[in-house]
Structure formats: structure tokens, C-alpha cells
DNA sequence: GTCCATGCAAACTGTTTGCACGCGC
DNA sequence: GCGCGTGCAAACAGTTTGCATGGAC
């Protein structure tokens, strides 16, 4: 969901917010980085360009961007949150328990699951979060594959 | 995965661990409770029966039970973790953003998704975590349904 | 008797907040 | 200039850890 600078300003304006240099910087770092950043990493990378930016601003900005739908928050490693800039198509994550690598993928059958659940339970679904975990190809090699499945 | 007391002792023994009264108590509370408990709630309920139990023991025990596969950890409310006793069949969760209610459901198409991903990406999947969020039937009524979907 | 498990309190991590100043508009 | 956004430091919540004692086996 990368936007031109003017459009971006409007987007902020529309909700009574201001487009500050810090917010622009943080959005930039998020969009440049293909991977999923945690707040600390985002802070470090932003600080490299603006040494005065504070961690509190990172958290506050992430909250704002999330509220505006420009950024998504994930609990990938169970521990702390990771954030990524929205790029339109919904997608899900596979996390390698060996090396921490994250693979994104789409899963068309999810539509079906959502429909089933929302019909059967009478709920309305606004968000779907799917996280698979296991071992990536490299890690399986490294470990001799003994970690794959319980059997 | 409810076990008899003797079998339970063996299960602990097999990994060089001991079956203490606290561990038995915590497992009991987890199994009795149909819902998903956070550490604090589990602590309070356990404390009602054994006023001397400490929160640290709750956390240490949960870590052990998780490692033994007797208990599962979920990040349901994004904030802090929830735990539930394993009951065999895998299942997924819907969380109501309005009232926090959790609905469990099964989703057969998940099998297909797992196969697709593991084949396409060459990974081996050991765990699948699916969390849908939205609004339950009651909350939709209460709010006049204006919260359902973006449209 | 050995050694794991516990209780307690202090430490730690990730995140949030109060306040005075600064900057977008 | 008004008011949101910022930096800083302190507060906070959830979780972990060091240490001496207690209990399982």
C-alpha cells in the first residue's frame, strides 16, 4: 500500500493526523524492508537516518499506522510483535523454528474456512491470521530431518 | 490428553521430571476449565486450592507442560499468552474483538493448505496456528452491525 | 541423601504514559 | 498560534531468574 507523498499527507489529514518527518521515515524503513521488523529493529534502522528519533515514537507511530491500515502487526515468534507494511494481497506466514526465517504464502482455501465459520457460528470475520511453523528446507538438511513430524 | 495419575507420573519420570502436588493441581485446573486461561487466571484459580502456590511456579510449570506437549500456548488477545490443555483434535480459534469470547472450531481445509505449502516451499510443518477475529453474534446485535466488514 | 521443584523477591523485556517543548498546518 | 506529535524518563505488565529451603523418589 505504498503511496505518493501527497496522497500520504491526505491520508493522515483525513483522520486529523499530521505527516511528520518521523512518520515518513518510519514508513519508508518499513516499506524498504521486505522482511518483518520488530519495533527495536525498526528503531535502530530509523535511528541510523535520524539519530534523534525515540523508541516511544516508534511504538506510537506503529500504533497509528496500524489503526490506519498501513501496517500489520504479527506475533511471529510468540515473544514480541513484528510489523510489516501492507502490500495489498492478504498473505500468511510460515516461521522456521530452526533459523527464524519467515516465508509468506497465499492460501485460497482460507476463504472457504472463513465462510464456513462465519456461517456456522453466526460471527462476522474481520481478520484472519494463519501461522504455520516447522523447519525450512535448509534446516531439515542440517538436522538430518529427524525433527520433521512426530513420527 | 487427560491421563491417569500413574500414567502421568510415568510421563514426568520419562523425562527426568517429578510429579509434584503443584503440577498436578495446575494440570487439574487447566483440564477442568473449558476455556483458555492466561497465567494470572490459572494462578488465581490454583491459589484458591493451594494458597501457597506462587506465580513463578505457574510459569515454570506451564513451560514444562508445554515442552511435554500436555498444554498449548496461544497468543489470542495479542497482549499476553493463553494456555489450554491438549484434548487431542487440533482446533483453531475465533476471537471476538468486542467481548473477547473465544470460539473453537475445526477446519478440514487446513490439511490441504499445509500440504500445499509444505510441497511448494519444501518445508516441513510441525504446527499450524489459525486465529480469526471479528465480532460474535451478540456483539453484532449490540453494535447494530456497523462494524462488520469494511464495506 | 540426592537433586529437582518451589517460594520469594528482584531483575528483565517489551511496551506505554506524563510532561514540557517543538513543529505541522 | 493552536494543538498534535515528539523526546525523555519513569511507569507498567508479563515473564524470567538467583538463591536458599523443601519435597519427590
Amino acid at each position: 500500500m505504498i503511496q505518493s507523498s501527497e496522497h500520504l499527507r491526505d491520508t493522515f489529514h483525513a483522520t486529523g493526523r499530521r505527516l511528520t518527518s518521523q512518520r515518513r521515515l518510519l514508513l519508508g524503513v518499513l516499506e524498504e524492508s521486505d522482511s518483518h521488523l520488530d519495533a527495536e529493529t525498526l528503531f535502530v534502522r530509523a535511528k541510523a537516518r535520524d539519530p534523534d528519533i525515540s523508541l516511544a515514537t516508534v511504538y506510537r507511530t506503529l500504533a497509528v499506522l496500524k489503526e490506519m491500515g498501513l501496517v500489520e502487526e504479527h506475533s511471529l515468534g510468540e515473544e514480541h510483535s513484528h510489523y510489516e507494511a501492507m502490500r495489498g494481497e492478504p498473505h500468511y506466514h510460515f516461521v522456521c523454528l530452526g533459523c527464524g526465517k519467515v516465508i509468506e504464502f497465499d492460501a485460497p482455501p482460507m476463504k472457504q474456512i472463513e465462510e464456513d465459520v462465519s456461517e456456522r457460528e453466526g460471527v462476522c470475520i474481520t481478520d484472519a491470521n494463519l501461522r504455520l511453523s516447522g523447519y525450512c528446507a535448509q534446516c531439515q538438511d542440517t538436522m538430518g530431518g529427524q525433527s520433521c513430524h512426530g513420527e
Side-chain angles (χ1 to χ4, degrees), chain A:
Chain A
M1 217 66 82
I2 294 157
Q3 316 197 9
S4 71
S5 211
E6 309 86 58
H7 185 190
L8 200 54
R9 189 191 310 260
D10 292 347
T11 311
F12 277 85
H13 241 119
T15 50
R17 299 179 215 272
R18 291 168 186 178
L19 179 54
T20 64
S21 62
Q22 291 93 334
R23 290 179 175 176
R24 210 192 306 262
L25 168 57
L26 290 171
L27 258 179
V29 174
L30 274 168
E31 282 168 355
E32 273 172 27
S33 120
D34 47 336
S35 75
H36 309 72
L37 305 179
D38 55 22
E40 187 67 28
T41 306
L42 178 55
F43 173 56
V44 169
R45 295 200 190 169
K47 193 153 188 149
R49 297 198 221 162
D50 171 7
D52 285 337
I53 199 169
S54 91
L55 186 53
T57 297
V58 172
Y59 278 107
R60 281 190 275 233
T61 300
L62 283 172
V64 167
L65 297 180
K66 198 171 50 159
E67 215 175 298
M68 295 173 64
L70 297 175
V71 147
E72 265 193 352
E73 181 179 8
H74 302 284
S75 309
L76 291 180
E78 312 280 357
E79 341 132 292
H80 56 320
S81 292
H82 288 74
Y83 301 84
E84 87 184 297
M86 296 279 281
R87 283 183 177 75
E89 345 71 44
H91 59 270
Y92 309 104
H93 298 101
F94 165 88
V95 185
C96 177
L97 298 174
C99 63
K101 174 159 71 180
V102 176
I103 298 176
E104 300 186 357
F105 61 89
D106 189 17
M110 280 295 295
K111 272 268 164 288
Q112 185 62 47
I113 294 178
E114 291 185 37
E115 275 172 33
D116 287 354
V117 173
S118 90
E119 190 169 332
R120 201 182 325 135
E121 307 288 351
V123 303
C124 129
I125 293 170
T126 58
D127 194 43
N129 200 304
L130 169 59
R131 185 188 62 230
L132 302 178
S133 37
Y135 295 88
C136 69
Q138 285 101 310
C139 285
Q140 286 177 67
D141 289 348
T142 310
M143 311 168 63
Q146 88 283 9
S147 61
C148 202
H149 304 113
E151 314 110 44

